[in-house]
Amino acid sequence: LRIGKRADRIHHKLEQEALKTAKKTTIVSPTWKKDIENIGANNVDVIYWGYDEDDFAGNNPEPDKKFSIVHAGQLGYDRRPDTFIKALGDLAKENPDLGKNLEIKFAGTVDYSIKENIIAKGLESNYISLGNIPRPEAIELNLKSHIQLLPLNIADNAKGRIPGKLFENMRAKRPILCLGPVDSDVAGILKNTDSGSSFDYNDENGIKLFIKDIYKKYKSGSNNVKSMNIEQFDVKKQVEKLSGFLSEITN
């Protein structure tokens, strides 16, 4: 144990020295940028994961006829949307029309406890388990959806954690419902681009109001979001940024 702690101290010291002497340091989120600046990093900039426009070329499907709420990816114990599922169950009972039109489409690995909760809240007939699907199908799933669910990891570093799927969700231009810290980097990006809203995992009222608002738009046939400035997250833009940094430190 003593050796392990000494090794950790040496590693931390080397890390600090590397950050202090590096001509340029890149990181994936604004929060983590501040974190490493606080331990001595200089000349730090953010490069986002981004989305690839080629993945969306020629793919412009009609929205689902049903009011679909989708998620593609892993839904594990650290992302259990219990309050979200309760909100859906309550809304389906309060508004039979919504309950009749609702489809919950989850692709990928879904924890058994989440499936059990869906059944317990009376949503079994609304739930469609798609299992593991190819990436192009996952992108089309988002493009056809009415709400894209984006649960962040329930973890101490969630504020600065930006999942790669955020950028593909934004490019799909369908409303995003994010679950996680309301002061997270993801929440800030959603707000600044008008791509969706972020709610605390336990904010049942906020989640219900968001879903009810989107359902009204679904019924009126005007459910696309008018995202602003998402082109900055195109991977080509991010590569251009990286190229500029390389030129900066080599000249």
Side-chain angles (χ1 to χ4, degrees):
L1 179 61
R2 202 178 304 132
I3 294 172
K5 286 183 177 179
R6 183 170 181 268
D8 285 344
R9 286 197 297 271
I10 293 172
H11 179 268
H12 185 64
K13 187 175 180 180
L14 289 172
E15 183 182 62
Q16 285 185 311
E17 286 300 316
L19 290 171
K20 287 177 181 178
T21 58
K23 289 184 177 180
K24 169 66 69 175
T25 300
T26 61
I27 196 74
V28 295
S29 74
T31 292
W32 292 354
K33 174 181 183 291
K34 292 178 183 176
D35 287 345
I36 63 172
E37 285 175 336
N38 288 337
I39 61 173
N42 297 306
N43 203 12
V44 184
D45 279 284
V46 176
I47 293 182
Y48 295 101
W49 182 261
Y51 67 88
D52 189 343
E53 184 62 33
D54 290 343
D55 292 334
F56 295 84
N59 198 348
N60 190 29
E62 290 293 318
D64 287 329
K65 291 184 178 180
K66 292 277 192 175
F67 181 60
S68 58
I69 299 177
V70 310
H71 178 270
Q74 186 172 355
L75 264 181
Y77 194 80
D78 61 343
R79 297 178 187 173
R80 281 183 53 176
D82 292 346
T83 301
F84 167 78
I85 293 169
K86 180 182 183 302
L88 280 180
D90 289 347
L91 286 171
K93 292 174 184 175
E94 295 166 9
N95 185 344
D97 185 68
L98 186 152
K100 179 183 68 176
N101 285 304
L102 177 64
E103 282 187 343
I104 306 166
K105 297 181 177 181
F106 288 168
T109 305
V110 180
D111 189 88
Y112 76 94
S113 64
I114 296 174
K115 297 178 183 178
E116 287 183 342
N117 196 19
I118 288 172
I119 295 170
K121 295 300 183 290
L123 297 168
E124 185 175 10
S125 63
N126 304 99
Y127 177 56
I128 300 173
S129 176
L130 298 172
N132 293 320
I133 61 176
R135 189 161 172 274
E137 288 184 25
I139 289 175
E140 185 164 335
L141 180 72
N142 289 322
L143 286 166
K144 295 168 68 175
S145 71
H146 294 282
I147 292 179
Q148 301 176 92
L149 178 64
L150 182 65
L152 304 183
N153 291 75
I154 302 172
D156 292 338
N157 64 352
K159 185 177 176 181
R161 184 185 291 270
I162 303 179
K165 71 176 66 176
L166 165 68
F167 305 104
E168 292 183 350
N169 288 165
M170 289 165 59
R171 174 56 183 81
K173 296 185 179 180
R174 310 298 285 170
I176 299 170
L177 194 165
C178 176
L179 299 176
V182 294
D183 60 347
S184 69
D185 290 330
V186 170
I189 291 171
L190 290 178
K191 182 178 180 180
N192 292 335
T193 59
D194 199 19
S195 296
S197 297
S198 185
F199 302 92
D200 183 87
Y201 264 86
N202 297 318
D203 184 5
E204 183 176 354
N205 187 55
I207 292 168
K208 288 176 77 171
L209 287 173
F210 180 86
I211 295 170
K212 287 165 73 173
D213 179 60
I214 300 302
Y215 187 68
K216 285 181 183 178
K217 293 176 180 177
Y218 157 77
K219 293 294 285 185
S220 67
S222 59
N223 197 33
N224 276 339
V225 294
K226 297 178 180 179
S227 301
M228 304 180 297
N229 301 320
I230 65 167
E231 295 80 9
Q232 64 182 301
F233 300 108
D234 188 318
V235 290
K236 292 180 181 178
K237 294 288 187 182
Q238 297 303 307
V239 171
E240 286 175 6
K241 189 188 294 186
L242 178 60
S243 176
F245 294 155
L246 290 173
S247 297
E248 175 189 319
I249 63 176
T250 55
N251 289 334

